[in-house]
Amino acid sequence: MVVMAAPVTAHAQGLFERLNLDRLKLTAMGGSYGAIRPSQMEATQAYSLHADYGEIAERWRVVFNVTYWGSHYTESIVRGFADSLGRSVEDPEGNAEVIASGVAVSDIAVGGDVRWMSPMRFVRFQPYLGGNVSVHV
């Protein structure tokens, strides 16, 4: 293992000070759900939790989230795969059998958003522009 240390430059210090990372604290939590249709799978619901950690700079917010969904491949896709597998098996005696069963798939995504909050407000809604980085398991 190699560990290297370098002094933080004045420019980097200024950036961290401007971002106000020490101001990060849980300010709001929310949840959402909605229908999704993964390719070659049955339609399902996705469930999400969101944690808003507040502003790091004027009009810039940080929101962390986690999303879960689970489904299974459609019967026709599983049957097609089993048929393809059966055709590729060499069975001179003719007694090999491929038994197809459901194939479950699930996804957990953990990520973070950075959001620029628009100065415009519409009653209780405020539009924003954001970007997200997520890891899927």
Side-chain angles (χ1 to χ4, degrees), residues 66-80:
V66 61
T67 302
Y68 168 81
W69 62 267
S71 184
H72 57 276
Y73 282 99
T74 62
E75 191 176 313
S76 63
I77 294 297
V78 174
R79 191 175 330 115

Side-chain angles (χ1 to χ4, degrees), residues 40-100:
Q40 301 178 343
M41 293 182 209
E42 298 293 332
T44 189
Q45 298 289 319
Y47 304 92
S48 298
L49 291 174
H50 311 271
D52 186 337
Y53 274 81
E55 284 192 345
I56 58 170
E58 188 176 347
R59 300 200 191 286
W60 289 93
R61 300 187 78 77
V62 174
V63 179
F64 297 102
N65 54 65
V66 61
T67 302
Y68 168 81
W69 62 267
S71 184
H72 57 276
Y73 282 99
T74 62
E75 191 176 313
S76 63
I77 294 297
V78 174
R79 191 175 330 115
F81 176 70
D83 292 346
S84 171
L85 189 59
R87 288 190 300 273
S88 67
V89 172
E90 290 185 33
D91 182 23
E93 297 176 13
N95 58 4
E97 183 180 359
V98 176
I99 301 171

